[in-house]
Amino acid sequence: MNVPTMAEMMAQGKQPEVLFWVGAAGSYDDRAKKITKSFVKILHKADVNFAVLGTEESSTGDAAKRAGNEFLFQMQAMMNIEVLNGYQVKTIVTCDPHSFNTLKNEYPELGGKYEVYHHTQFISKLIKEGRLSIDNTTLKGKRLTYHDPCYLGRANEIYETPRELLRNLGVKMTEMKRHKSTALCCGAGGAQMFKDAEKGDKEINILRTEDALETDPQIIATGCPYCNTMMTDGVKFKLKEDQIVVKDIAELIASANNL
C-alpha cells in the first residue's frame, strides 16, 4: 500500500492535505491493522493527499493520563507536538477516538493546536464534498447495531455522523437499549484495557455484548479499535462468532465499495 511519510513528503517539498494519525492499536494490533488498511483504501479512493508520521509517531499519552500519570502524558504530548509543529501539520485524522479526544481537547493547552477529525467525520466530509460515494447494495438489509465509543460519544457528542454513514450502507439498523449518551462502555477506556479485572460477577464487555445480542444483529459496528477488541471478545465468549461479525465503520464502507 502506498502510504508516504511526512519526512518523505517534506523531502519532496510537498505538504499533504491531512496527516493520518495511525495510533498504537492501528499500528501494532493485528486486528486493528485491518481497520487502518481499510481507511487508507478509502483515502486512496477519494484521492486524498495524506501522509503518516511512521516511526516518528509515538503514543499520544492517553492511557498514561487516564491511569493517573500526568507527567508521562505531558512528556509524550510535548514530544509529539514538537514533531507535528516541526512539520507544520494543520489537519489530523485518526481512527482512534482516544487519540482523537487527546489531540483535539488536550494538546492545545500544551501548544498543539490542530483541526482534528475522527475518521467517521472525515469520511462524511468526503461524501459531502462529492469525493466519495457509498455503495448501498452490498450490505443492504443486513441486521446491524452500533456501539458508541465513549470518547467519540459522551466525550465529544459525536452520535449522528457514524449512524448517518451506516444508514448510507442500506443496512437495517436497530439501536441497543443503552445508546448515544446512555451507551455502556465496552470496558477498554480509561486505560482499563491494560489492567486486570476488578471484583464482580461479569466483565463489562460481556455485559455490553449482551446489550448488542438483544438486537439480534448480524453485524456489530463500532468506530474504535479498542471497542472492536472488547466486542469481538464478547462475541467469542458467547460462542456467536459464526453468526456475528464485529466491524469498524471504515471496514464496512471499504468492503461495500469493494476496496
Side-chain angles (χ1 to χ4, degrees), residues 2-10 12 14-22 39-40 43-44 48-54 56-57 84 87 89 91-94 122:
N2 179 28
V3 181
T5 63
M6 285 298 291
E8 288 166 354
M9 281 273 199
M10 290 299 270
Q12 296 165 18
K14 295 176 184 170
Q15 185 72 22
E17 176 184 344
V18 66
L19 170 78
F20 173 29
W21 185 276
V22 183
F39 185 55
V40 166
L43 292 174
H44 281 316
V48 177
N49 181 12
F50 74 101
V52 296
L53 284 175
E56 289 185 278
E57 183 184 299
L84 290 166
Y87 283 126
V89 170
T91 309
I92 301 174
V93 63
T94 181
F122 198 72

Side-chain angles (χ1 to χ4, degrees), residues 13-242:
K14 295 176 184 170
Q15 185 72 22
E17 176 184 344
V18 66
L19 170 78
F20 173 29
W21 185 276
V22 183
S27 299
Y28 297 110
D29 180 78
D30 284 341
R31 175 64 189 87
K33 283 179 197 171
K34 293 177 182 174
I35 301 171
T36 304
K37 288 176 180 173
S38 291
F39 185 55
V40 166
K41 287 174 184 173
I42 291 168
L43 292 174
H44 281 316
K45 174 79 174 170
D47 285 327
V48 177
N49 181 12
F50 74 101
V52 296
L53 284 175
T55 53
E56 289 185 278
E57 183 184 299
S58 185
S59 166
T60 57
D62 163 77
K65 188 177 179 76
R66 307 300 158 227
N69 194 335
E70 180 67 23
F71 176 68
L72 179 57
F73 162 71
Q74 291 203 15
M75 272 175 51
Q76 286 293 132
M78 297 302 283
M79 194 162 63
N80 286 323
I81 288 166
E82 200 174 317
V83 172
L84 290 166
N85 290 353
Y87 283 126
Q88 298 177 326
V89 170
K90 302 282 189 295
T91 309
I92 301 174
V93 63
T94 181
C95 299
D96 174 18
H98 300 254
S99 297
F100 167 74
N101 179 66
T102 306
L103 292 164
K104 180 175 185 282
N105 300 322
E106 293 167 348
Y107 273 32
E109 62 186 0
L110 297 169
K113 296 182 173 71
Y114 318 105
E115 188 177 7
V116 187
Y117 290 93
H118 182 252
H119 70 314
T120 55
Q121 291 178 305
F122 198 72
I123 292 168
S124 177
K125 181 173 178 279
L126 293 173
I127 292 167
K128 283 174 183 145
E129 290 172 355
R131 298 169 71 181
L132 182 74
S133 57
I134 295 183
D135 186 331
N136 64 0
T137 55
T138 317
L139 297 171
K140 196 171 181 64
K142 290 271 188 191
R143 298 189 308 280
L144 178 146
T145 193
Y146 171 67
H147 164 75
D148 286 280
C150 294
Y151 282 102
L152 191 63
R154 279 189 299 278
N156 287 283
E157 299 190 337
I158 298 167
Y159 299 117
E160 279 311 313
T161 305
R163 286 172 169 80
E164 200 179 295
L165 290 177
L166 291 168
R167 282 192 285 268
N168 284 347
L169 288 165
V171 296
K172 186 183 170 199
M173 196 159 89
T174 307
E175 293 283 8
M176 294 184 227
K177 60 184 179 187
R178 292 184 269 208
H179 64 283
K180 293 188 177 176
S181 62
T182 62
L184 183 70
C185 174
C186 72
Q192 295 294 308
M193 183 139 184
F194 309 105
K195 61 187 277 294
D196 292 329
E198 290 163 34
K199 284 180 182 172
D201 58 10
K202 193 179 282 184
E203 293 272 13
I204 294 179
N205 68 313
I206 306 302
L207 195 57
R208 187 54 172 162
T209 303
E210 286 170 356
D211 281 358
L213 296 183
E214 282 177 18
T215 69
D216 187 29
Q218 292 168 290
I219 302 166
I220 299 172
T222 188
C224 170
Y226 298 99
C227 295
N228 195 301
T229 298
M230 300 306 265
M231 299 303 280
T232 300
D233 287 351
V235 168
K236 283 178 184 169
F237 179 84
K238 290 288 183 180
L239 306 176
K240 296 278 187 184
E241 49 193 323
D242 292 341

